[in-house]
Amino acid sequence: QVLITDLTMDTGVQELLVKAEQENIETAFQRAKEQEPHCKFGLTGVCCRRCLQGPCRVTFNGNKGVKRGVCGATADQIVARNLLSLIVEGTTPHVEHAREILHTLLEAAEGKAPYEIKGKEKLISIAKKLGLTVDGVELDKLAQEVALIALQDFQQQSGVSHWLRLRAQDKSIETWEKLNILPSNAHLEIANAINKTAMGCESDPVSLLLGIMKMGLVEGYDGLHLSTDLQDILFGTPRLVKTQYRMGVIKEDYVNIAVHGHIPMVSEKVLEWSRKLNNEAKALGAKGINIVGICCSANELLMRQGVSVATNYASQELAIITGALEAMVVDAQCIMPGLAQVADCYHTELISTLPNIKIEGASHVDWTPEEADKMGEEIVRRALAHYPERDQSKVKIPAGTVEAYAGFSVEQIVELLATLNGADPLLPLIEAIAKGDILGVVAIVGCTNPKVKQDWANTEVAKELMRNNVLIVASGCSAHSLGKNGLLSPAGLQYCGEKLANVLTAIGQANGLPALPPALHMGSCVDNSRIDDLLVALADRLGVAVRELPVAGSSPENHSPKALSIGTFFIAQGVDVHIGVNAPITGSPLVEQALTANKGEFPVTTDELFGGKLIYEADPIQAAQTMIARIIQKRKALGLVC
Ligand code: SF4
């Protein structure tokens, strides 16, 4: 018998799981249990389905059994090929995300799409870094020029990605150049990677591993950085905002619309039209229209507009089970197909929006840059029409919300620090790190995964690090875990070591706050670019390479291939990356040793080549301690107090 309290820490989700059970509605939590025990060949990565001679399953970890597939492929070759495929699957949605924002910006600049360019400062700063003339140039013209340079990263047949040159540290570029893994064109690199993994193509595991690292750079620059930069140009750079977390943000007396997915061009328009049509909700007897967020659509609207967050990945279906959502609007990534089945049990309309991403059982309203207003209005009007259909006997919204702060872009962090030292804003942070008041910085990022008690590993890793004076920066659904549990609020300082608490209080009070929260929410999954920007800024200010910094990344409840591709990007930067749910690599001693630097026969590791490695550890306390040990090792190498 599985206890609901073992499935999630979120008491609101627990309440809704009871309701789901009573109403006989299936959720991901239940389906995850039905899949146990998982296939060991799949878990260890040694199942190959690349051709019709198979599928082939070979022995893992030196166990007895078949050593090669029909074509002769070994466990090392099969695991390396499968991992590259998985990393491509993680990278591609972010590259598509970047391409979509690029076209939206271009069309907005050309007057063809109804979006206003709100991030003038970001536009000018990026245009200058790209070497464009900015003085006397109209904003729209400048945005067009920036977008056209970005477009080259999807078109050029040679050369190095413009966004990599724009954002990477020179020291890192040198390392990647020597290894011949500098990417040129995101689409070309994805095609090359798929070509490598195709049946009968590349079988050298070392070359496949370098292909994986190259794909990590595609993810980092033409996925994450490009998306964030262009979104900041179009929608503005986030600034400090205060918001609320948990299912209680869904309001019984409002027309409720949940935005779920990742693409702010969709969610921003839904929000805009909800404001325009708010009075129509009042005419229906509601108090207004309430927009709530799920996953990274939540993060995008939270960071720039302070919109409240209902829940994160694993419990997305439960938001519908409140019975109080008139519509759930989805775009791309992390959308469970199971949502349609749940929505069918209520009056909720599940609406997909991207022309090339349709969801079985959902209705569809097409988003295109030019037709964005039409989409926003249509979706909000459909939600209004569903309000009278709501069955009040089915409504149950778990009470209670938690206060949280977000909006910590690098620009905002620098602005906060500037109140302590206007001439050299990063200096107070660097001094705190040098003295050991801040032992190091760890990014808690990624997902929730029904294989792990929801929010538990994310919060436990964070709390153990905070206790040891490690500053947390957060993004994605992991940030939601921290938000739901009070770690994005100054009240979370109770979990910090004294030295860290003093630093956060001093910075907060210099800015009119009781303190900064112990975890700084830096945004959506693509906004892991902001974390990278912060690392590059710190390393540049110190005159060292990113790989030398006392920092690490952690994704304690990872589920998505995106977590692996983002992790690969940070390993390429020289940052250790912890995952709490293992990647399918343990079937190959070579791949496992190369990525984790565990002792073995294979001599070359990512740790040696890049300065970062993969850490798998399911126990959150042990994971935190492993990262702390590494942070101390890097501090010693820099000659810092330990
Ligand atoms: Fe089997 Fe080789 Fe075909 Fe994979 S590519 S399914 S190992 S024969």
Side-chain angles (χ1 to χ4, degrees), residues 350-379:
L350 179 67
I351 307 172
S352 60
T353 50
L354 295 191
N356 58 351
I357 296 188
K358 305 274 168 57
I359 312 285
E360 185 183 356
S363 57
H364 186 82
V365 180
D366 232 8
W367 169 84
T368 61
E370 316 87 65
E371 301 281 303
D373 272 329
K374 199 170 147 200
M375 175 218 68
E377 182 176 4
E378 170 69 19
I379 285 174

Side-chain angles (χ1 to χ4, degrees), residues 48-51 53-56 69-71 73 78 81 199:
C48 183
R49 289 180 289 112
R50 286 192 194 280
C51 83
Q53 297 171 91
C56 296
V70 174
C71 66
I78 291 172
R81 277 193 316 213
M199 198 276 157

Side-chain angles (χ1 to χ4, degrees), residues 294-489:
I294 298 173
C295 287
C296 279
S297 289
N299 281 321
E300 297 289 358
L301 289 191
L302 162 62
M303 291 286 284
R304 296 192 183 86
Q305 308 265 7
V307 164
S308 307
V309 180
T311 200
N312 47 3
Y313 171 78
S315 48
Q316 55 187 269
E317 294 159 306
L318 281 302
I320 299 176
I321 292 172
T322 60
L325 286 189
E326 275 56 59
M328 182 182 276
V329 184
V330 300
D331 44 62
Q333 304 170 45
C334 297
I335 315 297
M336 287 187 188
L339 284 171
Q341 206 183 340
V342 181
D344 253 1
C345 305
Y346 297 90
H347 72 301
T348 311
E349 184 172 353
L350 179 67
I351 307 172
S352 60
T353 50
L354 295 191
N356 58 351
I357 296 188
K358 305 274 168 57
I359 312 285
E360 185 183 356
S363 57
H364 186 82
V365 180
D366 232 8
W367 169 84
T368 61
E370 316 87 65
E371 301 281 303
D373 272 329
K374 199 170 147 200
M375 175 218 68
E377 182 176 4
E378 170 69 19
I379 285 174
V380 175
R381 288 201 180 282
R382 286 192 189 192
L384 287 165
H386 292 308
Y387 182 68
E389 298 164 9
R390 193 193 287 180
D391 179 350
Q392 291 300 338
S393 70
K394 283 187 164 183
V395 173
K396 182 186 172 77
I397 304 171
T401 60
V402 180
E403 180 186 283
Y405 287 86
F408 291 96
S409 57
V410 175
E411 291 85 341
Q412 176 64 90
I413 292 172
V414 168
E415 216 172 284
L416 292 167
L417 290 169
T419 55
L420 299 177
N421 186 335
D424 191 356
L426 286 179
L427 190 61
L429 187 56
I430 284 166
E431 283 175 344
I433 293 172
K435 278 196 283 178
D437 291 347
I438 294 176
L439 188 72
V441 182
V442 170
I444 307 245
V445 305
C447 330
T448 56
N449 181 335
K451 279 183 172 176
V452 181
K453 180 175 175 177
Q454 187 188 20
D455 303 330
W456 169 75
N458 286 331
T459 51
E460 287 302 303
V461 170
K463 285 181 188 170
E464 181 66 8
L465 291 166
M466 289 169 186
R467 259 194 290 279
N468 287 280
N469 297 303
V470 174
L471 177 66
I472 304 298
V473 290
S475 68
C477 278
S478 293
H480 295 330
S481 295
L482 307 188
K484 287 196 272 176
N485 288 287
L487 301 179
L488 300 182
S489 141

